[in-house]
Amino acid sequence: MSQAGVSRIVIDTPMQLSGNSRVDRDLRLALERNRERVILSRPIRDDIDENRLIEDGSEFFERGMRIAASDIQPDFLGFVWGIESEYSDGRSAYPAVWNVIAHGGATTEAIFPDYSVDTSQVPQIDLSELARGNGLALNAVQDKTVVIWGSGRDRRAIKAPDANYGDVSAGLIQIVAAETALRNSGQFVGSSITIAAFGLLLLLGLGIVRGRRNRMLVYGLWVAALVTFFVLSAYLGLRVMLSEALFLGTFYATLRAIYNYRRRHIFIDPRSKLPNFAALRRDLECQEDVAAFAIVVAKVARLDAVLATLSQSEQRQYMRQVATRLNLGDTQHTVYHDGGKYFGFLVRAQDYPDLKSHLEGLRAVASQAVSVSKRTLDLSMTIGVDHSKNKSPSSRISSAIAAADQAREAYRPVFIITNFEADSETWDYSLQARLEQALTENRISIKLQPQIELQSGRIIGAEALARWVDEERGEISPARFILQCERVGRLDELTKRLLGLSFAASRSLREKGLPARVSANVSAIQFVDHRIADMIETALAESGADPADIIIEVTESARIEDFAVARDIMERLGNSGIRFSIDDFGISSANLDALYRLPFFELKIDRMFVSALTNDRSARTIVENMLSLSSGLGLVSVAEGIEDLATLEILRNMGGDLGQGYCIARPQTLPLLQETMRLQRDNGLQRSG
Ligand code: C2E
Ligand code: MG
Ligand code: MG
């Protein structure tokens, strides 16, 4: 080969004795002759502790020769990324093969092979061609550095990260590395730079955009930038550490996925699978014009009792139906569920000039019985609204819940708080003070509204209605002050007073030989224990009225929590002759559930249906059905709120039993009622037609 004019020969394969001493000696002599031009190499290997060790070479061949270290340090996939410039075994240092080729072993910098080096430019010649003296082959090696590596079993193959390379011999990688060193390419872009650059890019992108879709776009662009940079750096012959940046991306994606997962679960109620009130608050906070929204909270009465009878999937069905009902007004609404008995949604107040009546309508429709797994279940609700300004979203949600609590089925099913401070609190505090005074001074009285037999027109008795005339505010509706008494825990005291007055009126009527049947109203929430029974019995005893004259109208029967207790109380009182009426039947405050479970004697059809009789066919159908339901169950029917003669006539034709209303007589004081009754007794039936 020396004759071929080769400038240097690097033997990148270990030299071993062949066993044929003549051949070995010839080879040794040839090496000695070309000592200046030939460089032998020793492979580097890892020991058990992954220390890089220089393997021993053949003393016979190596003596007096220059020796390089042949290392290709592939990663776990078989790729070579970087090669040291020098190896030392503690005694002497061995320059790397590439270092010898490029710098004669002079440099100390490690190299990162630039795989953009075109290896097709490196002639590869079979050694036997040279040995045979092939002219072309000899020409090719003239004045060149020749690297000799093993073939067949001796070939050390590695992978190069370029499609053109594929599996290549280790020697070729040394040439690429040397070429890289000569071109001064293969610069190293460290991981700190790529992490900083790509981290910043990600931060910047996410800082600028809003919304999920745009975020996805940023992620896509980020990955595209990474790939582009990778390809570009390969062309530029840069050696970049992208794995850390990629790791950063993966790490971020994982964190984000965990965050999204938790977020989804934090904002969803596990039972109903509806978004919860934390989601309601979040969504409210997201609105630009928070003040324009009213928070509506619907409280479903006795939800727990209903759910207790259902399987898990039926529970979900039931709650989903509640949500669908509340959606009726506008399918755009998201309905939120707090996990308990409250459901909420947002409405843009300006869309509803009369929000209250809109919600009353919604509530009426939403409160129809629900059917789950072929079972019909009652649904009754009250609605609270917060439409106040200058309050935080969470305190607004709380006040909407409070409003739903304060709303009452019969009295005020939809309760709107616009300015909590001024509207409800202050008013109620001053009302409260005066109510206390009225109770102490005994200034709460009753009025009696006559009830007639529809067919004959004969007055058969009266309903006692609570009245409070406040000096400042005039007559205050029982709806308001009974609610107030309940809230401050003085309902018993008020009831005691009103029962006393009602029973005394009955006794007075009986004494005068007039119809003494008197109906007194008692809220269903008082049927939780026997105190109400004691109270009624005491009032009866004190007044001396005949229990057979007394009807107790149970208002708000939907609020009965425990039917067994209520039934006990009613049976105990029933034994003494008192009878019970279910008030406001047909609206959600009183429904079939209570009628079915409790021993009622009378059914009062709510005035909502009665007042619509003359102009609404469905009201007529409903009343007809209620009347047949009532007679089918052997109950006495009472139609309340008869305001005109046409209605009276219709009811009479339908076969109703009793009736009351402004058209017959307004609620009046006892002396006036007595006068009316006396007149009727003496002059016959006046309003019989
Ligand atoms: P309610 O028991 O359904 O009483 C009937 C209500 O309808 C009374 O209102 C009565 O004045 C009114 N009314 C009677 N005829 C007509 C009519 O033709 N048209 C119209 N639009 N209304 C008519 P009031 O007195 O304001 O009582 C409201 C509610 O307050 C009562 O409804 C009842 O639930 C409750 N309440 C009244 N007194 C008592 C009481 O002593 N104790 C309890 N717990 N609740 C009472
Ligand atoms: Mg009543
Ligand atoms: Mg009523």
Side-chain angles (χ1 to χ4, degrees), residues 7 39 147 225 352 471 517 584 630 648 688:
S7 79
I39 299 107
V147 180
Y352 304 97
E471 286 150 349
R517 185 190 200 268
D584 306 325
S630 168
L648 183 62
S688 55

Side-chain angles (χ1 to χ4, degrees), residues 308-319:
T309 65
L310 300 177
S311 73
Q312 213 164 3
S313 77
E314 288 170 338
Q315 289 183 358
R316 185 167 312 154
Q317 265 182 48
Y318 182 84
M319 290 187 284

Side-chain angles (χ1 to χ4, degrees), residues 553 583-584 604 606-607 640:
E553 289 189 9
D583 204 352
D584 306 325
K604 289 192 84 171
D606 191 75
R607 66 173 174 275
E640 59 180 25

Side-chain angles (χ1 to χ4, degrees), residues 449 463 466-467 482 498 521 583-584 607 640 643 661-662:
Q449 184 175 38
E463 175 180 6
R467 287 294 175 264
I482 288 167
L498 292 168
N521 292 282
D583 204 352
D584 306 325
R607 66 173 174 275
E640 59 180 25
E643 290 186 352
Y662 292 165

Side-chain angles (χ1 to χ4, degrees), residues 413-428:
V414 175
F415 183 19
I416 302 187
I417 292 177
T418 40
N419 188 343
F420 199 78
E421 227 68 46
D423 181 55
S424 113
E425 297 272 85
T426 330
W427 208 97
D428 281 354

Side-chain angles (χ1 to χ4, degrees), residues 12-26:
D12 188 24
T13 185
M15 301 286 286
Q16 278 158 354
L17 289 169
S18 66
N20 182 332
S21 54
R22 225 174 57 121
V23 171
D24 289 342
R25 201 182 58 233
D26 287 351

Side-chain angles (χ1 to χ4, degrees), residues 268-281:
I268 296 287
D269 175 68
R271 203 155 54 150
S272 61
K273 297 273 183 272
L274 291 166
N276 60 18
F277 275 24
L280 173 62
R281 196 185 59 221

Side-chain angles (χ1 to χ4, degrees), residues 440-604:
T440 332
E441 295 172 6
N442 218 351
R443 277 194 284 107
I444 286 170
S445 59
I446 54 163
K447 275 196 171 164
L448 295 146
Q449 184 175 38
Q451 294 181 326
I452 61 163
E453 222 169 47
L454 287 173
Q455 303 305 327
S456 65
R458 198 163 55 88
I459 298 178
I460 51 93
E463 175 180 6
L465 295 159
R467 287 294 175 264
W468 170 27
V469 183
D470 179 63
E471 286 150 349
E472 243 178 68
R473 293 178 190 269
E475 193 167 293
I476 294 170
S477 160
R480 191 122 204 195
F481 69 84
I482 288 167
L483 201 63
Q484 192 64 17
C485 281
E486 181 191 328
R487 253 187 260 156
V488 297
R490 297 191 67 173
L491 188 56
D492 279 1
E493 193 179 336
L494 179 77
T495 308
K496 210 179 286 175
R497 193 100 21 112
L498 292 168
L499 287 173
L501 289 169
S502 309
F503 295 174
S506 168
R507 182 189 163 175
S508 155
L509 291 168
R510 176 162 287 282
E511 278 174 351
K512 296 191 167 67
L514 296 167
R517 185 190 200 268
V518 168
S519 303
N521 292 282
V522 177
S523 170
I525 61 153
Q526 292 179 277
F527 282 72
V528 285
D529 55 36
H530 280 263
R531 267 181 316 160
I532 185 67
D534 298 340
M535 208 185 292
I536 290 172
E537 280 169 357
T538 314
L540 261 181
E542 283 176 0
S543 66
D546 183 348
D549 285 337
I550 303 300
I551 308 274
I552 300 292
E553 289 189 9
V554 181
T555 65
E556 297 189 280
S557 48
R559 289 175 73 197
I560 296 179
E561 292 287 340
D562 190 337
F563 282 113
V565 176
R567 198 186 169 87
D568 257 17
I569 297 168
M570 287 168 77
E571 280 170 354
R572 169 177 153 192
L573 291 169
N575 288 336
S576 61
I578 289 178
R579 291 166 297 177
F580 291 89
S581 172
I582 181 165
D583 204 352
D584 306 325
F585 187 77
I587 62 169
S588 58
S589 64
N591 41 44
L592 289 167
D593 204 4
L595 187 61
Y596 172 63
R597 291 170 189 241
L598 301 174
F600 285 110
F601 160 79
E602 182 184 271
L603 181 152
K604 289 192 84 171

